[in-house]
Amino acid sequence: MRIGGTIAIYTLSVAIFLVAWWGFTFVFPPIFLPSPLATTLKAVEITRTGELPWNIVMSLFRVLSGWALGAVVGSFLGVVMGRLPWVRALALPVLEYFRFVPPVTLVTLFIIWFGFGEESKIVLIFYTAVFIVVVNTMAGAASVREGAIRAARSLGATGTQVLFRVVVPETVPYMVTGLQLALSNAFMTIVAAEMLAAKSGVGFMIWDAQVYTKTERMFVAFVTLSLMGFCLDRSVHALSRRMFVHYRVV
Amino acid sequence: MTEKVRLERVTKIFEDPRQGRETVALKDVSFGIEDRETVALLGPSGCGKTTILNIIAGFILPTEGKALIEGRPITKPGPERGVVFQEHFLFHWLTVEDNIAFALKVRGVSRKEFLPRAHEFVKRVGLTGFERHYPDELSGGMRQRVSIARVLINNPEILLMDEPFAALDAQTRLLMQEWLLKLWEEHQMSMLFITHDVDEAILMADRIFLMGVQPGRIIHELKVPLPRPRARTMLTSQAFMETKAGCLDLIAKESAKIFEHRG
């Protein structure tokens, strides 16, 4: 009933949007605003040629590899920082400063450091993800219930056992939140990076289309982006809820 | 008789470095708990009863004085002192059987070996059928029974109970008290029982230490004249009533002092 309702609302919302889009195509010429139908036909065409799937795969590859690296390193650093107040005290000010440097601005620097290949893009996504995961995991690790730690210690657990059997499980919900936020941020960053410095990916498609005023392709890219982001976000959400049923993941 | 636990002139001072203030949580506390004896610490909040438990549990160290378990100084927590908290602090990502087996798991006992033992304790605390349930799926009383089973599996020298039933509703609390008395008959362990409920203290304990505040200290020791095995029906017995009357008298006198003192 509730799921059915949700699907109905989503469908209705998209339908209204499509109708509005279609309506505006009578006002503006196709070079400004291609119709939903023209966009769909273009999508089918460049799917057949393999161009669209290839760009999707490239963007996904960059996002997921950088994000996964950021997740592993970020969770580890976050737990360490959350449990060791002096490490946290030393690291927090630096985190606070770097927060205001948007990852996209580092594209050029990373190209100088890591070259024009995939490394620079993956490092950029890693950088984007690691911050968010660290901040969230740290908050979680710092707020682990002292009573749970005491209970484990008085049951005979050593320091390492307390870390892996109590602190990490108690931190899981915060990690998951961090991972989800990091994913959506990684997505925004990769598109911008691909527009600036890549020869493939959905972001590149948009840039390429703009240079040659191929508006239909641009619209295909927009729709693709929204669908990719939506699907990724929902999958991570569903997956984490399934994997951590009893960890009180929100 | 052998003493399980001994506190010798224990003083605990908490410092608040930000405000530069010191709080004397405990002042000069000395007592022992005999083998198989239940001692209740009875007093208002802020009297330091949980501080005493934390010192015996090894969570904190006394500022002055000595705390001993079977003659050895207490320096850190250990499985021979089972702690049951008011908030159960179960591991909510583990099932009932895995919670109960936690102490065996950290000792490296294999799943094949610890499962039968865990199930034995599931049975002892009357939770058969709930082995695979998670703490979030249990009632308050059931959770507290899991946290008691979790420490009993270690066969502890002493049970340290920090207001274990205070968060439960009145009916459940009464059932849990009865249940714990029965459990005590089976295991006959030493117990330190913290409570602010006079009835509970008398029903559970052999000796009651009344505590006062500012600074936290023991102001009176009472022997409970009720025989073992204890039962709920004793709550209305003559001996119970007399003990309670004496207890309330002492509490009233102490409260009056504080009242006057604070103006």
Side-chain angles (χ1 to χ4, degrees), chain B residues 35-140:
Chain B
D35 188 18
R36 296 178 181 193
E37 185 189 31
T38 298
V39 165
L41 297 178
L42 179 63
S45 44
C47 70
K49 50 195 195 299
T50 296
T51 306
I52 291 180
L53 183 135
N54 285 341
I55 287 171
I56 298 174
F59 298 144
I60 55 175
L61 292 171
T63 311
E64 282 166 42
K66 278 190 294 188
L68 306 169
I69 168 87
E70 300 211 294
R72 290 169 281 117
I74 295 169
T75 54
K76 56 178 192 189
E80 78 284 1
R81 283 157 282 147
V83 186
V84 176
F85 305 86
Q86 178 182 342
E87 262 186 86
H88 53 82
F89 289 125
L90 291 173
F91 308 120
H92 53 79
W93 55 93
L94 298 179
T95 57
V96 166
E97 61 189 21
D98 281 318
N99 263 287
I100 293 177
F102 187 87
L104 302 180
K105 282 194 275 182
V106 297
R107 248 182 276 152
V109 178
S110 73
R111 193 164 187 85
K112 224 175 88 190
E113 277 177 79
F114 74 60
L115 266 188
R117 289 219 55 198
H119 288 164
E120 181 195 326
F121 279 87
V122 168
K123 197 172 151 202
R124 270 196 218 178
V125 298
L127 287 172
T128 306
F130 290 94
E131 294 86 350
R132 297 287 173 83
H133 282 61
Y134 286 84
D136 287 350
E137 302 162 350
L138 304 179
S139 70

Side-chain angles (χ1 to χ4, degrees), chain A residues 154-155 161 165 169 246 248, chain B residues 78-79 92-93 106 134 136 150:
Chain A
S154 77
L155 289 167
Q161 285 173 329
R165 288 172 185 272
H246 296 285
R248 297 182 180 161
Chain B
H92 53 79
W93 55 93
V106 297
Y134 286 84
D136 287 350
R150 180 172 72 168

Side-chain angles (χ1 to χ4, degrees), chain A residues 34 141 159 183 207 210 230 232 237 242-243:
Chain A
L183 186 65
W207 179 254
Q210 181 258 317
F230 182 79
L232 265 185
H237 203 77
R242 182 156 304 182
M243 277 171 71

